[in-house]
Amino acid sequence: MKSLEDLVVFAKVNGFIFPGSEIYGGLANTFDYGPLGALLKNNIKKSWIQKFVSETSSNILLDSSILLNSEVWRSSGHVGGFSDPLTECKSCHERFRADHLVAKFDSSLNTDKFSLSEMDEFIIKNHIKCPSCGKENFAPIKKFNMMFQTYQGAVIESANQIYLRPETAQGIFINFKNIQRSLRKKIPFGVGQVGKAFRNEITPGNFIFRTREFEQMELEFFCKPGTELEWFDYHKNICRKFLLDLGIKEENLIFRDHEKESLAFYSNATCDIEFRFPWGFDELWGIASRTDYDLGVHQKGSGENLMYLDPDTNEKYLPYVIEPSLGVERLLLALLFSAYDTEILDNNEERTVLHLHPALSPYKVAVLPLIKKEHSEKALEIYNSLIKHFSVTYDSSANIGKRYRRQDAIGTYFSVTVDNDTLTNDTVTVRYRDSMKQVVVSLKDLNSFILNAISF
Ligand code: GAP
């Protein structure tokens, strides 16, 4: 696996990910997705929607607002409790997550169980030093709420204060009744949502791994109480299959089931799927069995009856929830680390290749006229017919070997070369990115040949 530094350079040079606001000196830990990053991100979201919504008959999609009534966040517990323990080094004024300092010192400890004063004591007793300046001079730990606040309307006063959502999930819970009734959904069913979330993280970092603005792909799966642990296992399995099918290797994944003692008070099972990033295994995807906590707090907070009435048995209950929650950028990062490689070819040349699943490749196909003057007209005709079906790029500059290398580096799955045979026989040479093998395909079959190969 490549280093983080290599990947950052690769992503910038090849138009995947740029530092945010760069020409103004940047804005720390923000990133802009370049033309290829934007295509890759869209393909990731499309694949998730395909597997977790479109191909699962019980599941449906939602697109709820980023801005919600502040009472939603009071009921959900985010106003009171969505905080991380913050400490500041009084010598260099750098700020840190206190739980990260403790965990770095002893990774076997469960920091969720520490009170703020216990964490303070632990840091002092174990002489934990500031990672920036090396001094032992930390201020007392405080709780820091991670929600971004803003104001709605022209007057800045507390009555108008609202929050940018720190997760997409609450938009699903507060729409449970609308969704269930309007679509006459029967339990069990799931509601998926893809969208932006914002968290004022104390220590963002590791490139796009932890940022303050990110996207989530969340599924809230509503089921009958008593069946939740079966559904929890079911979702663990489909999440595993999704990652493996996209090309992530089994040995780079750990399914870390939380011990009973470390479960959140509302959860009766939680599993973190961790990926082997260059800095070690770290959370990629969280799967939680959340009981009826969320619907319960919103029923209480809103005064609305959110009970489900089973039309077959007449039973009334508050559904339980299984929640697989995944960050788009975290998955994108894991996929880039899994795909990015350099290989030495038989002729001792080095090639950079991005072995992405073809469904994720920014371009499925590159159309390349062998000789610009002679083959461009036909090549453009082919390009214009293919772009109606999938993303295609066109390149007529430089020699064919260089053009192949460029396409390999950005993950283009097929290169289609247009030459004299195309003009005389209506055939093209199709080159596979990974094996570099070439096959001759007739023009009339080209579209279906490509579609078959890139499906997910
Ligand atoms: N609704 C549950 C929830 O939001 P979470 O564990 O806080 O749970 C779920 O977040 C997923 O969202 C994480 O596993 C990660 O993939 C992604 N995520 C969370 N915070 C993030 C951040 N600051 N930057 C990028 N991705 C983040």
Side-chain angles (χ1 to χ4, degrees):
M1 190 180 282
K2 297 285 184 188
S3 69
L4 182 61
E5 293 70 27
D6 279 345
L7 193 83
V8 172
V9 173
F10 167 84
K12 182 176 180 193
V13 169
N14 287 289
F16 283 89
I17 306 169
F18 305 132
S21 311
E22 194 180 17
I23 63 167
Y24 282 96
L27 175 66
N29 301 103
T30 62
F31 299 94
D32 293 332
Y33 288 78
L36 299 188
L39 287 171
L40 174 56
K41 227 176 163 191
N42 264 339
N43 292 339
I44 290 173
K45 292 187 269 185
K46 263 202 254 169
S47 307
W48 184 88
I49 291 174
Q50 184 188 333
K51 292 298 165 193
F52 285 84
V53 180
S54 319
E55 290 181 11
T56 307
S57 61
S58 58
N59 294 357
I60 43 194
L61 197 63
L62 178 74
D63 184 0
S64 69
S65 295
I66 287 177
L67 305 178
L68 306 179
N69 186 318
S70 296
E71 289 306 316
V72 173
W73 305 112
R74 268 186 265 286
S75 297
S76 66
H78 284 82
V79 170
F82 193 60
S83 51
D84 278 335
L86 166 77
T87 184
E88 185 177 326
C89 169
K90 289 191 279 181
S91 300
C92 71
H93 301 292
E94 190 85 20
R95 292 171 159 207
F96 300 96
R97 288 251 315 249
D99 54 334
H100 285 180
L101 294 176
V102 172
K104 215 170 161 191
F105 182 82
D106 183 350
S107 60
S108 70
L109 292 172
N110 176 7
T111 52
D112 293 346
K113 296 277 158 209
F114 279 59
S115 67
L116 295 188
S117 58
E118 281 168 345
M119 239 183 269
D120 268 329
E121 276 167 29
F122 187 92
I123 287 174
I124 294 168
K125 201 172 108 203
N126 291 291
H127 300 285
I128 294 179
K129 295 184 175 43
C130 168
S132 260
C133 70
K135 300 256 168 60
E136 282 178 40
N137 192 17
F138 288 110
I141 300 164
K142 289 186 290 198
K143 281 203 162 181
F144 175 77
N145 193 298
M146 288 192 287
M147 283 205 292
F148 276 100
Q149 297 174 19
T150 185
Y151 295 89
Q152 177 159 279
V155 186
I156 297 185
E157 60 183 15
S158 61
N160 293 339
Q161 192 189 60
I162 52 169
Y163 302 94
L164 300 188
R165 68 179 177 199
E167 61 173 21
T168 67
Q170 299 304 323
I172 301 179
F173 297 130
I174 61 171
N175 277 292
F176 170 74
K177 197 170 155 184
N178 276 338
I179 297 168
Q180 192 270 317
R181 297 211 174 153
S182 59
L183 278 99
R184 296 179 300 282
K185 291 299 283 183
K186 279 190 182 178
I187 295 285
F189 69 89
V191 182
Q193 167 148 246
V194 178
K196 288 264 182 184
F198 303 85
R199 295 183 189 180
N200 199 1
E201 298 277 1
I202 299 169
T203 47
N206 283 335
F207 194 28
I208 57 169
F209 178 81
R210 181 174 287 108
T211 50
R212 295 189 172 108
E213 173 182 346
F214 57 99
E215 281 188 87
Q216 287 186 314
M217 303 183 281
E218 296 200 289
L219 180 75
E220 306 301 329
F221 188 83
F222 299 96
C223 60
K224 190 174 173 181
T227 63
E228 74 278 8
L229 294 179
E230 257 171 69
W231 285 114
F232 176 73
D233 286 340
Y234 168 85
H235 282 95
K236 268 166 67 175
N237 283 332
I238 59 165
C239 292
R240 179 198 300 272
K241 181 164 173 6
F242 180 73
L243 295 174
L244 299 182
D245 287 351
L246 285 181
I248 292 186
K249 292 205 172 91
E250 183 105 51
E251 68 256 30
N252 290 332
L253 292 174
I254 287 181
F255 280 63
R256 204 179 292 285
D257 282 302
H258 288 212
E259 304 284 325
K260 250 207 166 98
E261 314 76 67
S262 66
L263 289 171
F265 69 92
Y266 51 75
S267 171
N268 59 6
T270 298
C271 175
D272 292 337
I273 306 179
E274 297 186 348
F275 175 77
R276 193 199 304 268
F277 290 98
W279 57 91
F281 277 99
D282 215 337
E283 180 180 329
L284 176 61
W285 204 335
I287 308 172
S289 170
R290 300 179 60 94
T291 64
D292 59 0
Y293 172 76
D294 306 280
L295 289 181
V297 294
H298 288 306
Q299 176 164 267
K300 190 156 174 248
S302 67
E304 281 281 332
N305 180 0
L306 301 182
M307 301 283 270
Y308 171 74
L309 172 66
D310 188 317
D312 300 321
T313 62
N314 274 336
E315 280 173 285
K316 255 189 176 177
Y317 57 85
L318 216 45
Y320 271 31
V321 167
I322 303 299
E323 177 194 69
S325 174
L326 171 63
V328 176
E329 294 83 356
R330 282 220 188 150
L331 178 56
L332 189 148
L333 189 60
L335 289 163
L336 282 181
F337 277 122
S338 303
Y340 176 31
D341 199 9
T342 38
E343 296 172 357
I344 303 295
L345 303 176
D346 291 344
N347 61 3
N348 274 339
E349 236 187 73
E350 189 182 88
R351 80 159 179 154
T352 298
V353 56
L354 202 57
H355 294 288
L356 287 171
H357 188 291
L360 300 180
S361 292
Y363 298 121
K364 315 302 173 201
V365 179
V367 176
L368 313 173
L370 184 63
I371 301 168
K372 192 173 175 178
K373 270 194 196 145
E374 294 170 24
H375 306 122
S376 287
E377 197 183 330
K378 187 71 183 167
L380 279 170
E381 200 185 291
I382 295 169
Y383 168 79
N384 282 318
S385 78
L386 295 179
I387 51 173
K388 296 195 179 82
H389 306 278
F390 27 76
S391 58
V392 188
T393 183
Y394 182 87
D395 187 1
S396 61
S397 62
N399 71 48
I400 194 76
K402 270 202 183 140
R403 281 183 274 164
Y404 285 154
R405 289 293 99 79
R406 272 189 215 148
Q407 298 305 325
D408 292 342
I410 60 171
T412 308
Y413 196 62
F414 287 124
S415 290
V416 168
T417 306
V418 177
D419 56 18
N420 285 339
D421 283 344
T422 320
L423 304 183
T424 51
N425 303 337
D426 271 349
T427 59
V428 284
T429 307
V430 177
R431 172 186 176 273
Y432 286 82
R433 174 199 65 202
D434 296 336
S435 64
M436 295 182 286
K437 290 221 168 82
Q438 304 195 353
V439 290
V440 173
V441 177
S442 114
L443 274 184
K444 68 175 174 25
D445 299 329
L446 184 61
N447 196 40
S448 56
F449 176 88
I450 295 165
L451 274 175
N452 275 340
I454 63 174
S455 72
F456 174 54

